[in-house]
C-alpha cells in the first residue's frame, strides 16, 4: 500500500493531540479545585505547545517521516506520539495516554472517512498546520520550522494524482479499521452513532469535480448528445463548494481538521468503547525487524531542545478526578505498560540493538523522577536490554 | 424490486479496497463461495443455498520471510476457466493462486520489490480469467502479467508481460457474455482512468486505447462488446470497446465508485460507491443500430457505510451481495 502516509499521519494525529492538550490545559485552569493539579499558567501552556511542536516539526524528525515507508502498527505510533508529548514539561500516565490516543485516532478516522475526495486529505492536513501555527505564533523559531515543513509537504504531495491519494486514504482506513470508540463530543454533535460508527449522509454538496447524480445522457456515434433523462437518487445532493487553497496560506473551505475542541472550552470529552464491538488486535506481540528499525530511527531523530532536569514536571489527567483515572487504569488502561509490550526477542540484529540501547541511554539522561517509578520508561527499556543479553 | 435477506457474518470486517467481494456459484453442490479482504487476510465463506450451512476459512498473504512485516492484500477474485476454477489473491508482495475452495495454494509469483522502498508503492491489483486458459493480473507499474493455466495441476507459467498502461492497474475484466462473436475479450483500467481493450492469444493484441480524464477508473466490466467503467468522480461510462465510442454517461454516484458488476444473461448492471448507495441498472443493446440504452431500476442504501464490494450472485442478477468498509457481514438482496 501507500509509502507516503507517515508525514500526514503525524501532522494530523499530532495536530489532534495538540488540540486536545490545549483544551485540557485550559480546562485545568478553570477547575475549582487547584490544590492537587497545579496551576497551568498561560506561559506553561505555551511552553508545552512550543516544545511539542518544535520536536514534531523539527527537520530531523520530518526527514525521517518523509522517507518512503509503510505504515506500521498502532503500538509504534503510540510510542512515538508519547515520546513527542513528553518532550515537554508535561507527563501523561499510561491511562491518560491511552485515552488521548483513542481520541486522536477517532478524530482522524472521522476526518479521513468523511473526506469528500482523496486529495482533500491535504486540506485537512493544512487545517491542522494552520491551527498549529496559531499555537506557536509567538515563538519565531518554532513558527519557522512549521512554515518550512509546510513548504516541504506542499512540495512532496502537490503532484500526487487522485489515484495515489485514494491509495493513501485506503491505507489509512485499514489502519483505523474496527476502531469504534465512542467520543462524547461526536455523539453529541450526531456525527457518530451510539454503536460507534460515523454518520454518512446522502445529502449536501458533492466533491469538487464530481457531478450531481441523477442524469443519464446518451450519445450518437458522432459524440452528439441524443437523449437525456433523470433517475431518482435517493438523496438530495447539491453542486460542489469552491475549491480550497492548497497553498501555504489560504481558505481551505473544508471544515474537517479544524479545532472542534476550541468551541467546547469547558466540556469534558469522554471516550467509551462501544460495548458490542470486540476490538481484536491481530498484530503479533513481536514487532518485525522493519518496524523496530523505524521506531529506533524516529526516536533517535527527536531532539529535545530542553532538558528539564531541574524543573518540576506537571502531571496531567484527562479525567475529572484521580479516582476516575485510577478506575480507568485498573480496568485495562495499564494492563500492558506502554513499553512493556515491545518484546524484542525477535531482534537478532546487533545494530538495531545498539540503536535502542542508545535511545534508552537518552531516556536515562533526560528522565526526571516520575511519581510512579514502576512504570518509568527508562527502567522498562533497560529491563528489555537485560532480556536481550 | 429487491428486498434484503439475512446477512452472512464474516470473521473480520471488509477493508476499503476496490472490488472487495468475490463470488463463485457452484451449482452442482448447491453452494456459493464468497471472499472478502481484510488487511492481510482473505475471509472465505461457503454458504449453502438452503441457508443452513456456513463454513469459514481464512487465507493469509504469503510472506517471503519472517523478518518482513505483513503484506497487505489488494484483491481476491475467483477465476472461472472451462477446465477449473481458481482463487487468485494479489498483495504487496506477489500473487497467490489457490484451488477455488482455498484449500491448497497451487502457485506463487513474487513481485520485484526494490531493496529500499521507493515512493511508488509496489503491489498487484486487477484479476481476471481470460478466454480458455489465461489469468491476467495487473501490477502497480501498469504492466499486466499473463499467466498460462493448464487444465489441472500447478504447472502455471508466466506467458507474457504486457506493458501498455503507465499507471497502476485498478481492474481487469473479460468478456462475460459467453458470445464467440466478440472481437475483444479483455479490458484493463488504470489509476488515470485509461482503458485498454485486448484480444487474447499467445501474444495479447491491443485493439484500442480509451484515454481517461485524470480520474481513476476503479472498476470495469466487458459485456457484448460494451465496456462499463466506474470512476472516482462517481460517473459510469459505457463505451463501445473496439472503437472507443462513448454510448452513455451516467452521473451515478456522489462519491468514488468502488465496484461494478454485470449479470450477463439479463444485462443488469450493479454499481456501488462510497456514498453508501448500490444502484441497479438495465442495459439494452441494439446490434442493428449499435446503440446502448440504460434504464435505472433500483436503489439500496446501506446506511452510514462506504461500500467496497458489490456482485451479482447469479448470471440473471436474481440476487446480489454487498460488502462495506468496517462491516463484518455480507449483505444480501434478492428479487421480490
Amino acid at each position: 500500500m501507500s509509502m507516503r502516509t507517515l508525514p500526514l499521519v503525524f501532522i494530523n494525529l499530532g495536530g489532534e493531540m495538540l488540540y486536545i492538550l490545549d483544551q485540557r490545559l485550559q480546562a485545568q485552569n478553570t477547575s475549582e479545585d487547584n490544590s492537587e493539579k497545579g496551576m497551568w499558567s498561560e506561559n506553561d501552556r505555551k511552553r508545552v505547545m512550543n516544545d511539542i511542536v518544535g520536536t514534531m516539526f523539527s527537520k530531523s524528525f520530518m526527514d525521517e517521516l518523509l522517507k518512503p515507508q509503510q505504515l506500521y502498527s498502532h503500538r509504534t505510533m503510540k510510542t512515538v506520539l508519547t515520546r513527542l508529548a513528553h518532550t515537554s514539561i508535561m507527563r501523561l500516565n499510561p491511562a491518560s495516554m491511552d485515552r488521548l490516543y483513542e481520541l486522536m485516532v477517532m478524530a482522524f478516522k472521522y476526518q479521513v472517512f468523511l473526506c469528500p475526495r482523496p486529495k482533500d486529505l491535504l486540506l485537512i492536513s493544512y487545517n491542522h498546520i494552520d491551527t498549529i501555527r496559531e499555537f506557536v505564533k509567538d515563538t519565531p523559531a518554532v513558527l519557522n520550522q512549521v512554515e518550512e515543513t509546510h513548504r516541504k509537504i506542499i512540495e512532496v504531495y502537490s503532484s500526487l494524482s487522485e489515484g495515489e491519494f485514494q491509495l493513501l486514504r485506503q491505507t489509512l482506513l485499514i489502519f483505523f479499521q474496527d476502531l469504534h470508540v465512542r467520543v462524547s463530543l461526536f455523539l453529541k454533535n450526531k456525527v457518530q452513532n451510539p454503536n460507534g460508527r460515523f454518520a454518512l449522509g446522502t445529502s449536501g454538496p458533492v466533491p469538487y469535480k464530481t457531478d450531481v447524480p441523477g442524469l443519464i445522457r446518451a450519445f450518437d456515434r458522432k459524440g452528439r448528445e441524443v437523449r437525456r433523462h433523470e433517475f431518482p437518487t435517493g438523496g438530495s445532493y447539491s453542486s460542489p463548494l469552491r475549491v480550497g487553497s492548497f497553498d501555504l496560506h489560504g481558505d481551505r473551505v473544508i471544515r474537517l481538521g479544524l479545532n472542534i475542541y476550541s468551541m467546547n472550552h469547558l466540556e469534558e470529552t469522554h471516550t467509551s468503547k462501544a460495548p458490542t464491538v470486540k476490538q481484536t488486535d491481530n498484530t503479533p506481540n513481536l514487532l518485525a525487524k522493519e518496524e523496530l528499525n523505524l521506531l529506533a530511527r524516529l526516536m533517535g531523530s527527536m531532539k529535545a531542545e530542553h532538558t528539564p532536569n531541574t524543573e518540576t514536571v506537571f502531571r496531567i489527567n484527562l479525567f475529572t478526578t484521580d479516582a476516575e483515572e485510577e478506575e480507568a487504569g485498573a480496568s485495562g488502561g495499564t494492563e500492558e505498560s506502554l513499553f512493556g509490550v515491545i518484546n524484542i526477542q525477535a531482534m537478532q540484529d546487533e545494530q538495531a540493538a545498539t540503536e535502542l540501547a542508545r535511545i534508552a541511554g537518552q531516556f536515562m539522561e533526560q528522565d526526571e523522577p516520575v511519581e510512579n517509578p514502576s512504570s518509568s520508561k527508562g527502567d522498562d527499556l533497560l529491563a528489555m536490554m537485560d532480556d536481550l543479553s | 424490486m429487491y428486498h434484503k435477506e439475512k446477512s452472512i457474518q464474516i470473521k473480520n470486517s471488509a477493508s476499503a479496497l476496490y472490488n472487495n467481494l468475490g463470488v463463485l456459484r457452484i451449482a452442482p453442490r448447491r453452494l456459493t463461495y464468497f471472499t472478502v479482504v481484510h488487511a492481510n487476510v482473505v475471509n472465505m465463506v461457503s454458504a449453502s443455498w438452503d441457508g443452513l450451512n456456513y463454513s469459514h476459512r481464512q487465507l493469509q498473504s504469503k510472506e517471503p520471510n519472517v523478518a518482513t512485516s505483513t503484506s497487505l492484500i489488494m484483491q481476491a477474485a475467483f477465476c472461472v476457466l472451462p477446465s477449473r476454477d481458481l482463487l487468485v489473491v494479489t498483495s504487496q508482495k506477489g500473487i497467490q493462486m489457490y484451488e477455488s475452495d482455498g484449500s491448497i495454494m497451487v502457485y506463487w509469483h513474487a513481485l520485484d520489490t526494490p531493496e529500499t522502498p521507493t515512493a511508488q508503492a509496489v503491489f498487484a491489483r486487477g484479476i481476471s480469467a481470460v478466454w480458455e486458459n489465461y489469468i491476467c493480473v495487473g501490477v502497480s507499474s501498469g504492466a499486466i502479467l499473463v499467466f498460462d493455466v493448464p487444465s489441472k495441476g500447478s504447472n502455471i507459467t508466466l506467458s507474457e508481460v504486457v506493458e501498455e498502461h503507465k499507471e497502476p492497474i485498478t481492474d481487469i475484466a473479460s468478456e462475460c457474455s459467453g458470445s464467440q462473436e466478440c472481437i475483444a475479450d479483455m479490458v484493463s483500467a488504470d489509476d488515470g482512468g485509461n482503458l485498454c481493450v485486448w484480444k487474447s492469444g499467445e501474444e495479447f493484441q491491443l485493439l484500442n486505447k480509451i484515454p481517461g480524464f485524470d480520474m481513476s477508473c476503479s472498476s470495469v466490466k466487458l459485456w457484448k462488446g460494451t465496456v462499463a467503467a466506474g470512476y472516482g468522480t462517481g460517473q459510469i461510462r459505457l463505451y463501445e470497446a473496439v472503437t472507443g465510442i462513448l454510448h452513455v454517461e451516467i452521473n451515478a454516484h456522489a462519491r468514488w465508485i468502488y465496484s461494478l458488476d454485470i449479470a450477463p444473461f439479463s444485462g443488469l448492471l450493479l454499481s456501488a460507491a462510497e456514498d453508501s448507495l448500490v444502484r441497479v441498472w438495465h442495459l439494452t443493446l441494439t446490434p442493428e443500430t449499435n446503440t446502448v440504452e440504460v434504464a435505472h431500476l433500483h436503489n439500496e442504501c446501506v446506511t452510514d457505510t462506504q461500500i467496497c464490494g458489490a456482485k451479482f450472485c447469479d448470471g440473471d442478477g436474481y440476487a446480489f451481495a454487498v460488502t462495506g468498509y468496517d462491516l463484518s457481514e455480507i449483505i444480501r438482496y434478492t428479487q421480490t
Side-chain angles (χ1 to χ4, degrees), chain B residues 154-176:
Chain B
S154 53
N155 190 23
I156 297 167
T157 52
L158 179 61
S159 142
E160 200 186 349
V161 178
V162 197
E163 282 164 333
E164 196 60 48
H165 290 273
K166 302 282 175 285
E167 294 179 75
I169 304 290
T170 46
D171 196 18
I172 302 178
S174 62
E175 174 59 62
C176 60

Side-chain angles (χ1 to χ4, degrees), chain A residues 1-4 68 70 72 109 113 116 118 162-164 166-167 169-170 173-174 176-178 180 193 197-200 202 205-207 209-221 227 229 231-234 237 282 288-290, chain B residues 12-18 38-39 67-69 72 74 92 117-121 123 191 215 233 235 240 243 245-256 258 274-277 279 281 290 293-294 296 299 304-306 325-327:
Chain A
M1 300 291 279
S2 179
M3 302 300 250
R4 302 199 215 232
Q70 290 205 87
Y72 293 105
K109 179 175 181 176
F113 185 68
E162 279 286 0
E164 282 178 281
Q166 183 65 289
L167 185 72
R169 182 172 171 273
Q170 289 174 341
L173 287 175
I174 290 178
F176 298 135
Q177 204 151 346
D178 302 322
H180 302 294
N193 297 322
R197 288 161 192 279
F198 295 119
L200 190 61
T202 51
V206 292
K209 281 197 186 156
T210 293
D211 291 310
V212 177
L215 192 59
I216 304 173
R217 299 162 73 200
F219 302 89
D220 68 9
R221 300 188 73 77
R227 203 154 80 94
H229 58 282
F231 69 90
T233 59
Y237 300 105
N282 290 324
K289 192 174 118 177
E290 282 175 8
Chain B
N12 300 115
S13 56
S15 289
L17 299 162
Y18 304 140
H38 169 96
T68 54
S69 53
L72 293 173
M74 305 298 289
Q92 292 175 267
T118 54
Q120 281 310 314
F123 55 83
D191 250 344
M215 178 47 74
T233 49
Q235 262 193 353
E240 186 175 82
T243 58
I245 290 172
L246 176 66
H247 286 302
V248 178
E249 185 182 270
I250 314 172
N251 295 340
H253 289 275
R255 292 285 189 281
W256 206 281
Y258 262 59
E274 281 180 348
D275 61 1
S276 73
L277 288 155
R279 306 197 193 277
W281 318 80
N290 254 327
E293 275 177 27
V294 176
H296 171 260
N299 294 326
D304 298 335
T305 304
Q306 293 187 346
Y325 169 64
D326 249 357
L327 269 194

Side-chain angles (χ1 to χ4, degrees), chain B residues 129-301:
Chain B
V130 182
W131 191 226
E132 294 189 328
N133 59 316
Y134 297 113
I135 287 181
C136 293
V137 179
V139 183
S140 46
S141 62
I144 296 173
L145 309 177
V146 181
F147 295 96
D148 197 315
V149 182
S151 53
K152 53 173 179 273
S154 53
N155 190 23
I156 297 167
T157 52
L158 179 61
S159 142
E160 200 186 349
V161 178
V162 197
E163 282 164 333
E164 196 60 48
H165 290 273
K166 302 282 175 285
E167 294 179 75
I169 304 290
T170 46
D171 196 18
I172 302 178
S174 62
E175 174 59 62
C176 60
S177 64
S179 160
Q180 303 286 341
E181 293 162 13
C182 295
I183 313 164
D185 52 10
M186 183 173 104
V187 63
S188 54
D190 69 25
D191 250 344
N194 303 300
L195 304 169
C196 287
V197 180
W198 308 86
K199 170 114 200 85
S200 66
E202 260 190 48
E203 270 181 32
F204 271 53
Q205 204 192 333
L206 178 70
L207 297 177
N208 192 17
K209 224 171 158 170
I210 303 172
F213 42 108
D214 265 335
M215 178 47 74
S216 193
C217 170
S218 43
S219 196
V220 76
K221 283 282 168 297
L222 181 59
W223 181 66
K224 293 191 174 171
T226 303
V227 172
Y231 296 85
T233 49
Q235 262 193 353
I236 299 172
R237 294 175 155 211
L238 300 174
Y239 291 98
E240 186 175 82
V242 176
T243 58
I245 290 172
L246 176 66
H247 286 302
V248 178
E249 185 182 270
I250 314 172
N251 295 340
H253 289 275
R255 292 285 189 281
W256 206 281
I257 290 178
Y258 262 59
S259 193
L260 286 187
D261 197 22
I262 292 183
F265 306 152
S266 58
L268 289 177
L269 170 70
L270 191 65
S271 68
E274 281 180 348
D275 61 1
S276 73
L277 288 155
V278 185
R279 306 197 193 277
V280 184
W281 318 80
H282 184 244
L283 306 184
T284 317
L285 268 58
T286 317
E288 294 80 32
T289 48
N290 254 327
T291 51
V292 178
E293 275 177 27
V294 176
H296 171 260
L297 296 183
H298 185 74
N299 294 326
E300 282 291 342
C301 178

